[in-house]
Amino acid sequence: MPTVTMIGGGQLARMTHQAAIALGQGLRVLAASESDPAAQVSADIVLGSHDDLDDLRRAAAGSAALTFDHEGVPLHHLQALEAEGVAVLPPSRALRFAQDKFAMRTRLGELGLPVPDFADLAGDRGAARERLVAFGEANDWHIVIKAVRGGYDGRGVWLVDGADEALTVFDAYPVDAPALLAEQKVPMRRELSAMVARSPFGQGAAWPVVETVQRNGQCAVVLAPAPGLDAEVAERAQQMALRLADELGVVGVMAMELFETVDGELVVNELAMRPHNSGHWTMNGAVTSQFEQHLRAVLDYPLGSTAPTAPLTVMANILGAPDAPEMSMDERLHHLMARMPDAKVHLYGKGERRDRKIGHVNVVGREGDSVETVRERAERAAQWMSQANWTDGWDEHS
């Protein structure tokens, strides 16, 4: 059976490893240390850095495909591997649009896909500052400033309130850091995610569009499918994502994060060309999980069914508490299983730290369950696993 190499040893690689086991495949992981989430469970580990071309070569040797747990690998390294015959999937020509927000915004605009108005703040600082002022005034300073590269989970994003704050952020930004861009702040109703997969053969598949709930700049809850989303709007989002994956030559799973505006329109926010937090619900709520589908896609197998197995699934992230509870994670898991036997817990083997993603909980709804009920149960379970207290005051020892 073929071996797939995944660059990065985080939780996405760990969960992809679980899917590989069921398919009889090997997943080799390039990890930074033996304590990385994937390195704890995989038998085929290469220790090294994604920034080192020789380490990448060692990891790729003999594998059928090389894919990613994150988008941080230098593009010129991937191009060197491709020139040597390595099957880099998604290919570097596609991945650049997930690494570079300015390139992504520009390309999506060329394809006629809806994006926020934006302004390039790269180059000469004085000229860039003038462009920022002009763009801010044109948008009544309802703008967001973003780092073009490297931002994630709220980092590298500044939701500024007026000209003074925007210029303070710009002036304090290091000269040698990745370039900035400014974007129009979209008046939105909610955030959505359209997850799709594409194979080298060109087969595409789309899961139901989901609603994502953000807190402090990172995903906290996913509602699958997005409640009350018009069927035509949902289909439009899926078609946009499938078309974009095809246009860019994506291979594997891709998440297109969207804003649903107050007028019911769709605007593209971000792209991720790998398994994604907004697809974790598929592990228990869909016929084919995003992790299995990613492996199918990079190996050019026929893609699996994306049909949901229940009317509603809610995913809630387990985020590290401000102070780790005295109760061990094992004991917390014991009590959760006793109280909520239907809650499906996925832990990542990571140390607890404030706001760190250390796991997630999926709760699969049944016919007749309300969104509010299923969401409350999922969030209650995640809160318990994070902080060892029940949101409804229940006493686990009574």
Side-chain angles (χ1 to χ4, degrees):
M1 297 296 288
T3 292
V4 172
T5 292
M6 182 164 267
I7 304 303
Q11 64 261 26
L12 300 179
R14 182 185 178 109
M15 290 182 277
T16 304
H17 171 72
Q18 295 172 237
I21 292 172
L23 297 177
Q25 298 162 352
L27 185 76
R28 181 181 302 149
V29 174
L30 177 65
S33 82
E34 294 178 348
S35 63
D36 283 0
Q40 297 172 25
V41 298
S42 179
D44 193 354
I45 297 296
V46 175
L47 294 178
S49 170
H50 64 269
D51 289 320
D52 187 292
L53 180 55
D54 287 336
D55 289 346
L56 292 167
R57 286 189 177 112
R58 287 192 297 119
S63 61
L66 182 144
T67 191
F68 308 97
D69 167 278
H70 60 78
E71 290 102 345
V73 183
L75 214 60
H76 60 277
H77 286 351
L78 298 180
Q79 291 164 345
L81 293 174
E82 289 168 335
E84 295 167 9
V86 175
V88 176
L89 300 172
S92 61
R93 68 180 185 277
L95 195 65
R96 68 179 289 252
F97 297 107
Q99 291 185 347
D100 186 318
K101 291 181 176 65
F102 182 75
M104 181 264 289
R105 287 277 179 261
T106 303
R107 184 64 179 132
L108 265 61
E110 291 170 349
L111 293 172
L113 293 172
V115 296
D117 288 340
F118 63 97
D120 183 10
L121 303 182
D124 178 79
R125 294 282 285 196
R129 196 178 197 273
E130 291 178 4
R131 290 196 296 275
L132 172 59
V133 171
F135 184 78
E137 290 176 348
N139 288 277
D140 295 324
W141 290 103
H142 295 147
I143 66 170
V144 181
I145 297 176
K146 293 183 177 181
V148 167
R149 293 175 174 271
Y152 186 68
D153 275 352
R155 295 183 290 275
V157 177
W158 294 269
L159 301 172
V160 296
D161 184 16
D164 290 343
E165 188 175 342
L167 293 172
T168 297
V169 168
F170 180 85
D171 292 340
Y173 191 71
V175 175
D176 57 350
L180 295 173
L181 63 80
E183 286 185 356
Q184 174 194 27
K185 189 181 294 182
V186 176
M188 66 171 181
R189 177 181 299 160
R190 56 179 168 175
E191 295 190 49
L192 304 171
S193 178
M195 290 282 303
V196 300
R198 182 179 178 274
S199 71
F201 182 74
Q203 184 186 9
W207 286 274
V209 176
V210 303
E211 178 178 346
T212 64
V213 180
Q214 312 290 321
R215 296 190 186 125
N216 300 319
Q218 65 180 162
C219 180
V221 178
V222 172
L223 311 175
L229 183 63
D230 182 82
E232 185 275 330
V233 176
E235 184 176 351
R236 179 155 34 103
Q238 292 173 317
Q239 291 297 330
M240 284 167 54
L242 288 167
R243 178 192 165 206
L244 183 62
D246 187 59
E247 291 276 4
L248 300 183
V250 173
V251 173
V253 166
M254 185 188 81
M256 174 186 279
E257 297 180 74
L258 300 147
F259 298 131
E260 183 186 13
T261 71
V262 293
D263 298 324
E265 298 301 316
L266 297 174
V267 177
V268 181
N269 180 29
E270 301 280 357
L271 297 178
M273 297 179 190
R274 51 169 171 77
H276 190 256
N277 201 171
S278 65
H280 290 351
W281 70 274
T282 62
M283 299 176 76
N284 302 105
V287 174
T288 307
S289 79
Q290 64 166 339
F291 301 103
E292 178 184 336
Q293 194 82 298
H294 189 71
L295 289 169
R296 286 188 183 219
V298 300
L299 290 168
D300 210 7
Y301 290 169
L303 299 181
S305 168
T306 53
T309 57
L312 174 68
T313 301
V314 177
M315 188 278 318
N317 276 325
I318 302 170
L319 302 174
D323 297 299
E326 292 184 10
M327 184 184 295
S328 71
M329 184 65 76
D330 177 61
E331 186 176 353
R332 279 174 263 167
L333 183 62
H334 176 100
H335 287 300
L336 179 63
M337 288 178 166
R339 187 182 185 194
M340 299 175 64
D342 61 321
K344 306 299 291 185
V345 183
H346 302 270
L347 297 175
Y348 306 154
K350 296 165 74 171
E352 297 181 67
R353 189 173 68 230
R354 185 189 184 103
D355 291 335
R356 189 184 200 189
K357 292 177 184 175
I358 56 178
H360 69 271
V361 178
N362 286 335
V363 175
V364 178
R366 296 165 296 189
E367 201 66 48
D369 286 345
S370 69
V371 174
E372 293 76 18
T373 297
V374 180
R375 176 175 175 176
E376 189 279 329
R377 298 187 73 247
E379 293 200 70
R380 185 200 314 163
Q383 165 92 355
W384 167 255
M385 292 300 296
S386 169
Q387 302 190 22
N389 61 63
W390 295 105
T391 54
D392 60 354
W394 191 73
D395 180 359
E396 67 275 8
H397 293 292
S398 63

